[in-house]
Each structure stands twice: as C-alpha cells, then as structure tokens.
Amino acid sequence: VRFLIELPACELDESLPDWGKQETVMVQGIADCVFEEAGGLVVLDYKTDRVRDRRVLVEHYAPQLALYARALGETMGLAVVRRLIYSFWLGEVIDLS
C-alpha cells in the first residue's frame, strides 16, 4: 500500500535549527501488507535482515513502522491497532504494538 503524507520537519529530526523546525516535508513509502482486523488496521512489514536477535530489528525498524502507522491511519481513515514485522531470517513475527 503506497502512502504520501506531509509532516512537520521537527517530528522527523528534533535537532533541526529553529528556522527549519517549521518547515514541512513529504514522506512517501510503501507498506508491504496492510489489512483490517477488529475495526482497525494491521501493518505488516517484511524484513530480510540477517540478524540473530529480534531486538536489533525492533530497535532499527520501530520508528519506520510508527511512521507507517501514522501515515496509513491518516490516509485510510482507520486507527492502526497492530504493527508487525515478519523476519524471514528468524522465521517469526515480531509485534511492535
């Protein structure tokens, strides 16, 4: 599912100087899988990283999935109730909700 959302730049980078904090940026992305469950959206992102510890994926991709959840919730008009990563390397689903 493709999305495009406009955000204040300071939400993506808190270290911006004052003059840049008021600027807006366009963020576009593609969610691998989005489906409706229990009246809300579930965002599932597939990862192929070769890691042995699921915490590495959580640390690295939680901000991305939070941004996807916000964008998809706004564009599709439903709250995101679950954010999931499927790791092909680990063969497991990681729930970030």
Side-chain angles (χ1 to χ4, degrees):
V1 175
R2 294 176 187 267
F3 64 85
L4 178 66
I5 187 171
E6 185 175 354
L7 296 173
C10 62
E11 289 187 26
L12 298 174
D13 185 353
E14 294 176 359
S15 69
L16 289 172
D18 288 339
W19 59 266
K21 290 181 180 180
Q22 302 307 316
E23 297 296 321
T24 58
V25 293
M26 298 300 290
V27 178
Q28 81 175 28
I30 301 173
D32 295 331
C33 180
V34 180
F35 57 93
E36 190 174 342
E37 176 181 86
L41 299 174
V42 177
V43 178
L44 172 62
D45 204 41
Y46 302 110
K47 299 299 179 192
T48 58
D49 304 49
R50 294 182 177 195
V51 296
R52 296 179 195 266
D53 187 342
R54 65 195 325 261
R55 290 177 294 185
V56 173
L57 294 173
V58 171
E59 183 179 311
H60 190 75
Y61 292 110
Q64 175 191 357
L65 270 286
L67 182 59
Y68 279 27
R70 178 175 177 183
L72 292 163
E74 287 183 21
T75 58
M76 298 179 79
L78 287 172
V80 173
V81 295
R82 293 177 69 200
R83 294 172 289 124
L84 307 172
I85 292 173
Y86 179 78
S87 168
F88 284 100
W89 188 254
L90 297 174
E92 67 179 86
V93 173
I94 303 166
D95 192 336
L96 302 176
S97 305

